[in-house]
Amino acid sequence: MSRLVFAILLFFTQSALCQDLYNIQYTDKNRTRYDCLLIDDGGMYLSIRMKFSEAGKAYLAELKYRSTAGLLQKAGGEEFLHFKTEAMYGSAIKFLSEDAYPGFVAPCFVWYPGKGQLGALNPLYTTTDYVNYTGKRKVELCEQIGMEDISKGRLKPFFPDGGYLYESLTKQASLSVKAVKALPALKNNPTLHFIMVVNNADPKIGASCTKDRENLERELKAVTSSIGINYRPYIITASDKNKFNRQALLAQVNAINPAPDDIVFFSYSGHGARWEEQEDPYPFMELWVTPPFNAAPAIGKETEVTLRMAALHSVALSEVWDMITKKGARLNIVLGDMCNTSIGTSSPVDLDNILDFGNALRAGTEITRRDPVKLRKLFIESSGSILSNAAKPSEKSAGNATAGGYYTASFVETLRRAGSYNNDPMTWEKIINQTIDQALAYRQTARPKEVQNGIRFMEIKE
């Protein structure tokens, strides 16, 4: 694994959107037992509420851990990430119990991503040596707390005085399908047609593209289930060479026959490019794994063979948008997570290796309950079309194997926030704008630090 900047900001910002909780339990070298609740404060910090007893007296401390980007370090050939207490405002350590424990030293947590499953905090170690990380002890328990496991009895010991976060979590836990007032039946029985093209076979971006597919499929399935509409996926992957080409993609788009009240959602995750003199601000999708032409033409030159072969093996994102909008569905969404750099450069296909830009830790399960009223407003009561890409002309998109493309990850997280009980309603315009802004913020945590300004075109009636 190359030297990476660990985009931990991505994980903790996204956790703030979803309020993920972890239960951590461990025993230190003095045999003191610690019971911890890892929560988020929203924004730049993660916090851990820690219960322990010394000399028969119980203590409760709140520790602040800064969640800005940190660097994966190496010790003995293994890469690890450390979480250290740090506070910008106020104290990093605050005792919520009646008394503070004298001489208390906040633990440092050390995580080895190469040893465990990406997207989870295991295996997690703890130590009080912030310099050399000696005397590490593996935590005995590190598990995510699901919504079904939240109860006032479980949370109250960590929130003796209640508070907004406590009330918010317990309120969400009390919600269920039965507790939510039944929504009125839909006049029609709309279907969300989900077309996704995924370059999962590329050795450099395949893992990231696969994660995009997983994230989008999971979210759209949850959305359609919560609002009571049909879900119909059409997935084209590069691993199926018979479908990952211009002819098959256009045939699939042509085959979609949406009803007037349906939704068509198209997404592409892979390599993208543009011509040197192209006026269309949107890139074309490179529907190949191995280039069908010389991968290194003369710098600044688009050879006749390059032009002809690339045109035969690509489809413009705007071309797909035009085809879809003409089909007459009520709502059309076309998103591209790809570079928008000129193919007439010294590296027309291998434009970037997004796996070098970072490796983000993301929780696999969100506990935020979806609000079907908010989601129906977006998917049932809205009409029109959206066209957006992760990068504007001359810019690259980026992502990593764990989070997927920063643009797609940002869209999923923003949509999830928009449909949460805890947040105010959002419009499609705000969702797309926040997706672009969030992707830019994630991109600037990577190395090399570059910009990624998404573009959009919207004709939406909400």
Side-chain angles (χ1 to χ4, degrees):
M1 184 182 291
S2 62
R3 189 170 183 257
L4 305 176
V5 171
F6 195 96
I8 191 170
L9 175 62
L10 180 60
F11 163 63
F12 289 120
T13 301
Q14 290 173 338
S15 294
L17 306 183
C18 302
Q19 291 182 328
D20 294 314
L21 302 180
Y22 283 85
N23 179 212
I24 299 174
Q25 296 176 7
Y26 70 95
T27 304
D28 68 12
K29 62 181 180 181
N30 298 319
R31 298 186 179 181
T32 299
R33 178 77 172 177
Y34 295 86
D35 187 6
C36 310
L37 180 68
L38 185 154
I39 58 178
D40 66 87
D41 294 338
M44 297 175 64
Y45 292 91
L46 127 88
S47 67
I48 294 180
R49 296 200 172 199
M50 177 179 292
K51 297 189 302 173
F52 64 97
S53 296
E54 288 287 354
K57 191 170 184 177
Y59 296 92
L60 173 63
E62 181 180 46
L63 313 180
K64 299 285 187 178
Y65 289 80
R66 187 173 174 84
S67 60
T68 50
L71 183 65
L72 275 176
Q73 303 184 28
K74 276 192 175 182
E78 293 183 302
E79 291 185 312
F80 65 92
L81 180 75
H82 59 259
F83 306 152
K84 297 181 178 181
T85 52
E86 181 181 347
M88 184 178 296
Y89 304 108
S91 174
I93 304 174
K94 178 182 178 182
F95 274 87
L96 304 176
S97 50
E98 183 177 348
D99 297 315
Y101 181 70
F104 176 78
V105 179
C108 167
F109 290 94
V110 183
W111 179 64
Y112 291 86
K115 287 186 176 181
Q117 179 184 1
L118 290 173
L121 279 171
N122 288 312
L124 187 67
Y125 295 79
T126 181
T127 177
T128 54
D129 183 353
Y130 274 42
V131 179
N132 299 313
Y133 310 105
T134 58
K136 294 188 299 294
R137 300 175 70 89
K138 186 176 180 180
V139 303
E140 295 148 23
L141 177 68
C142 180
E143 64 176 2
Q144 189 168 19
I145 303 173
M147 175 62 70
E148 66 279 2
D149 298 320
I150 293 178
S151 65
K152 289 186 177 181
R154 184 168 188 175
L155 293 180
K156 191 63 176 179
F158 294 99
F159 297 88
D161 299 323
Y164 172 78
L165 180 58
Y166 171 77
E167 296 298 332
S168 172
L169 290 171
T170 54
K171 179 181 178 181
Q172 288 184 71
S174 67
L175 294 169
S176 68
V177 175
K178 294 181 180 179
V180 177
K181 184 178 180 180
L183 295 171
L186 297 172
K187 294 181 180 179
N188 300 311
N189 189 23
T191 295
L192 188 149
H193 304 267
F194 177 48
I195 311 170
M196 188 166 191
V197 184
V198 188
N199 190 344
N200 64 330
D202 188 282
K204 295 177 180 177
I205 66 171
S208 176
C209 296
T210 297
K211 182 58 65 174
D212 285 342
R213 173 187 174 179
E214 293 173 358
N215 290 340
L216 266 177
E217 278 196 301
R218 182 186 302 113
E219 190 62 23
L220 293 179
K221 284 179 181 178
V223 166
T224 54
S225 175
S226 67
I227 62 178
I229 65 174
N230 301 314
Y231 171 74
R232 188 170 299 168
Y234 314 84
I235 309 298
I236 297 176
T237 63
S239 55
D240 187 344
K241 296 180 180 180
N242 294 324
K243 292 184 178 180
F244 194 70
N245 56 66
R246 176 180 172 83
Q247 293 73 25
L249 171 56
L250 294 181
Q252 181 63 82
V253 174
N254 275 322
I256 299 295
N257 186 28
D261 200 37
D262 283 356
I263 303 154
V264 179
F265 193 117
F266 177 91
S267 176
Y268 172 79
S269 179
H271 283 302
R274 62 187 299 101
W275 307 117
E276 268 191 322
E277 304 300 327
Q278 179 176 312
E279 294 183 2
D280 180 3
Y282 292 89
F284 55 80
M285 299 168 277
E286 298 181 2
L287 301 175
W288 61 76
V289 176
T290 302
F293 51 83
N294 179 11
I299 295 177
K301 300 292 184 182
E302 294 173 350
T303 66
E304 183 179 344
V305 173
T306 301
L307 290 168
R308 184 175 71 253
M309 296 304 293
L312 290 173
H313 295 271
S314 64
V315 177
L317 190 67
S318 55
E319 182 179 357
V320 169
W321 177 80
D322 186 60
M323 293 173 63
I324 288 176
T325 55
K326 289 179 178 178
K327 290 182 172 291
R330 174 176 46 78
L331 180 62
N332 303 287
I333 301 172
V334 176
L335 306 180
D337 198 340
M338 57 181 150
C339 293
N340 202 350
T341 47
S342 174
I343 200 170
T345 64
S346 58
S347 183
V349 178
D350 189 11
L351 295 173
D352 59 277
N353 181 353
I354 65 175
L355 299 183
D356 285 340
F357 290 153
N359 206 341
L361 170 65
R362 298 188 62 225
T365 307
E366 78 288 347
I367 71 168
T368 298
R369 288 292 176 97
R370 292 176 175 85
D371 185 343
V373 175
K374 292 188 180 75
L375 291 173
R376 279 198 176 187
K377 180 73 175 177
L378 289 169
F379 286 89
I380 303 299
E381 299 177 28
S382 299
S383 60
S385 61
I386 298 170
L387 172 62
S388 182
N389 186 60
K392 73 176 186 180
S394 79
E395 292 183 354
K396 300 176 182 179
S397 64
N400 55 69
T402 312
Y406 294 153
Y407 176 88
T408 302
S410 297
F411 175 80
V412 170
E413 291 299 329
T414 305
L415 179 59
R416 189 174 298 162
R417 182 169 66 250
S420 166
Y421 277 105
N422 278 354
N423 296 293
D424 294 331
M426 295 174 65
T427 63
W428 278 114
E429 181 177 8
K430 190 171 184 179
I431 290 172
I432 297 299
N433 288 342
Q434 286 195 11
T435 294
I436 290 171
D437 291 344
Q438 187 168 305
L440 173 61
Y442 294 163
R443 181 65 186 87
Q444 291 186 313
T445 68
R447 182 177 297 176
K449 184 177 180 179
E450 294 182 1
V451 296
Q452 176 182 321
N453 295 294
I455 53 177
R456 86 283 281 167
F457 173 80
M458 304 182 68
E459 290 181 333
I460 291 289
K461 182 179 179 181
E462 299 183 275

